[in-house]
Amino acid sequence: QVQLVESGGGLVQPGGSLRLSCAASGFSFSGYAMMWYRQAPGKERELVAAITTAGQTNYADSVKGRFTISRDNAEKMVYLQMNSLKPDDTAVYYCNTWWGGRYYWGQGTQVTVSS
């Protein structure tokens, strides 16, 4: 059974940093790309960052240069380091993967950027 569990969200001031973590289980983690999405109130869910099995990364234009996605295959973890946070980054952040013909999502972790 595929499970994704996010953690690390919270309240941070503009310009601050947070590191999100996603613990994966139930599938061969190293063989699958992993993604981080986010959904702000009243907006559609959007792709923030992705990392392939080979460690190649892609980012939404809005977070390039500020966010870094990484993975630890031995620990079955994926991370999102978020720096220089802005109020527009406020959202619920979700870990995601495509496995067995469908997408799997975690429960999400709230990130609030506010002074």
Side-chain angles (χ1 to χ4, degrees):
Q1 178 180 353
V2 175
Q3 276 198 311
L4 301 171
V5 180
E6 302 95 337
S7 61
L11 173 64
V12 63
Q13 291 187 342
S17 297
L18 280 176
R19 188 195 196 206
L20 305 184
S21 300
C22 173
S25 62
F27 65 106
S28 297
F29 179 80
S30 62
Y32 293 87
M34 297 297 298
M35 283 70 72
W36 283 98
Y37 282 76
R38 68 185 179 186
Q39 187 165 20
K43 295 187 177 181
E44 292 188 357
R45 196 169 293 191
E46 63 171 348
L47 178 63
V48 175
I51 186 166
T52 69
T53 57
Q56 293 177 312
T57 58
N58 281 292
Y59 299 93
D61 287 344
S62 58
V63 307
K64 278 181 183 176
R66 300 188 298 121
F67 290 13
T68 302
I69 188 172
S70 61
R71 66 189 297 161
D72 183 334
N73 289 335
E75 296 295 327
K76 297 187 178 181
M77 297 288 294
V78 61
Y79 304 99
L80 187 67
Q81 177 66 43
M82 306 186 295
N83 299 328
S84 302
L85 282 161
K86 306 174 181 180
D88 283 350
D89 296 318
T90 296
V92 178
Y93 284 72
Y94 298 91
C95 183
N96 166 277
T97 193
W98 174 267
W99 183 88
R102 55 159 286 190
Y103 283 111
Y104 286 86
W105 301 89
Q107 82 288 352
T109 186
Q110 175 70 47
V111 172
T112 303
V113 184
S114 175
S115 55

